[in-house]
Amino acid sequence: MQTLPGFRDFLPEECAKRNYIFARWREVARRYGFVEWEGPPLEPTELYKKKSGDEIVEQLFNFTDKGEREVALRPELTPTLARVVALHEREFKKPLKWFSIGQFFRYEKQQRGRLREHFQLNCDIIGESDLTADIELVALGIDVLRAFGFTEKDFAVRISDREFWTDFLREKDVPSDRWGEFLQAIDKFGREPREKTAEKLGNLADAVFATLKSGGKSAKLEALVDSLRARGLADFVEIDVGIVRGLAYYTGIVFEVFDRAGKFRALAGGGRYDNLIGQLSDGAVSLPALGFAMGDVVLGELISTIPGAHDAMQKSMATDRKIDIYVVIAKEERRADALVQIQQLRDCGYRVDYPFTPTKVARQFQTAEELGARVALLFGDEWPQVKIKNMATAEQELVPHDRLLAHLKAQSSLSS
Ligand code: HAM
């Protein structure tokens, strides 16, 4: 039996990598004062049909449940967040700064960097319309990636503003109900044949292509970059009006993060969606909002190609994998005594392992070494004393068993 296409088994090594990614995500989000929340993995299909846009609706894993409800595995978190905020808005002081780490499902064609399940870090700010919130969000995205050891040579945040394009379309007298269609076409520029984009843009094609080529100008985007410059982060960003984002609900600043070498799909994407909460709550609650999501798949690939990031991950994983103490049972008569100590050591928080069945002493020391134990405790002929072996220096000492715990606690190499 194989996994379904686009799904992964997380064996211990992959789980350790995933936990490393989650730990960095959580650490930096908290550094920015974001608090963690979570929504359900299954939602009414309607939630996505209402506002995410056609592309994501085509990719839904959806079905009718046993209660005849139309449901879908979540392809993204933003509609859930908008629903939750509309429901609980009064319980919280604004602005909300919320983050979440969870699994998402999209029925996409499996390809490099795109699977049918993936994990995302979502960071969103609700209830703040000032540009300072957009700047803070971009800075957070940059710092999350810096926490993995990436530099400005490894990735860039490409920033744009949907208002730049909606102003353009307004100027060209395009009715607002057709803006979505045009924005989708601009979003696909570069990813589909030029003629196809030109066909979609009709008589605006030349003007759009010229603007994309010249880069356009936006005071708002320049203010954003200036402010990031003051934080020392300007080298991580580029203004790129070609970034429009595929999702329908964005209204203002939008951005995507790419590797500089251009090898991979987007690492992260997000932007402002000031109308979504109002639209999903039928006008009951109206709050400006912005956020981004970063996926684990492309991030994992980028980590493995950048030596500094890869080494940092391996080092952290090796430390995390290690146990503190291996108990060597040299004489089976001592097993019961050893287990009393093991229980006490584990109660104190030490990571302790031992052999389940009688095993040669040399094999036990070998296991201690393989598991990265800092000390081995030998329960054998020396009883009621226990032999402590420092695995790094091979130094040994004898300690009475009733003083073992105090003795180990006093050893700096074991105090965590
Ligand atoms: P998105 O651009 O659709 O945005 O996804 C964000 C990130 O999730 C992508 O940049 C990518 O790293 C990862 N991702 C998406 N689909 C897949 C896939 N099939 N396989 C692997 N990774 C994938 C959103 O989802 C928005 N809801 C983000 C947001 C949050 N906007 C505001 N707040």
Side-chain angles (χ1 to χ4, degrees), residues 29-269:
R30 288 202 180 135
R31 240 192 258 163
Y32 272 69
F34 280 59
V35 293
E36 192 161 357
W37 77 285
E38 177 59 304
L42 201 65
E43 287 276 23
T45 308
E46 191 59 24
L47 184 65
Y48 307 106
K49 287 208 167 139
K50 245 178 150 173
K51 283 291 151 219
S52 292
D54 299 342
E55 191 171 351
I56 247 183
V57 170
E58 280 162 23
Q59 294 170 345
L60 283 178
F61 265 96
N62 58 328
F63 56 96
T64 311
D65 77 2
K66 289 177 183 164
E68 299 297 316
R69 294 174 204 90
E70 291 299 324
V71 293
L73 283 170
R74 59 182 181 182
E76 57 155 340
L77 189 65
T78 315
T80 300
L81 175 62
R83 178 181 64 68
V84 168
V85 167
L87 268 179
H88 298 281
E89 178 265 320
R90 282 158 185 259
E91 296 158 40
F92 302 97
K93 253 169 84 181
K94 263 62 81 195
L96 306 180
K97 298 198 293 179
W98 284 9
F99 81 94
S100 187
I101 296 173
Q103 198 170 19
F104 297 86
F105 306 87
R106 297 183 190 183
Y107 200 91
E108 291 201 52
K109 204 166 136 236
Q110 193 184 338
Q111 50 188 299
R112 192 168 187 198
R114 288 291 177 271
L115 302 175
R116 288 184 176 170
E117 56 72 27
H118 68 284
F119 287 87
Q120 282 185 356
L121 162 71
N122 274 262
C123 297
D124 291 88
I125 303 174
I126 315 288
E128 183 55 72
S129 51
D130 199 273
L131 185 68
T132 48
D134 303 68
I135 298 164
E136 179 80 348
L137 192 73
V138 173
L140 168 58
I142 295 170
D143 277 344
V144 169
L145 288 170
R146 286 180 61 227
F148 290 95
F150 299 127
T151 70
E152 68 280 8
K153 294 192 181 71
D154 303 318
F155 73 92
V157 185
R158 295 204 198 131
I159 311 182
S160 175
D161 184 1
R162 272 208 181 175
E163 277 181 10
F164 172 88
W165 286 111
T166 49
D167 287 350
F168 172 92
L169 294 169
R170 197 179 291 116
E171 227 172 74
K172 305 278 179 208
D173 291 327
V174 176
S176 60
D177 58 348
R178 295 201 57 207
W179 290 358
E181 215 179 290
F182 278 94
L183 292 172
Q184 294 287 333
I186 300 167
D187 176 59
K188 291 252 156 59
F189 177 79
R191 281 189 284 143
E192 64 180 16
R194 196 181 166 98
E195 308 77 65
K196 199 162 174 199
T197 312
E199 196 183 308
K200 290 184 188 166
L201 293 172
N203 59 4
L204 287 186
D206 288 343
V208 170
F209 291 154
T211 310
L212 285 170
K213 200 166 172 212
S214 68
K217 263 207 147 336
S218 154
K220 204 206 287 180
L221 289 173
E222 275 162 28
L224 185 146
V225 175
D226 281 347
S227 174
L228 288 170
R229 185 166 296 112
R231 298 189 189 204
L233 299 177
D235 292 343
F236 290 93
V237 296
E238 284 168 10
I239 296 176
D240 179 351
V241 292
I243 298 292
V244 179
R245 306 272 299 134
L247 293 157
Y249 46 68
Y250 293 109
T251 53
I253 297 281
V254 280
F255 58 91
E256 285 189 342
V257 186
F258 289 94
D259 63 300
R260 288 267 190 206
K263 277 200 227 159
F264 303 111
R265 301 276 301 262
L267 282 150

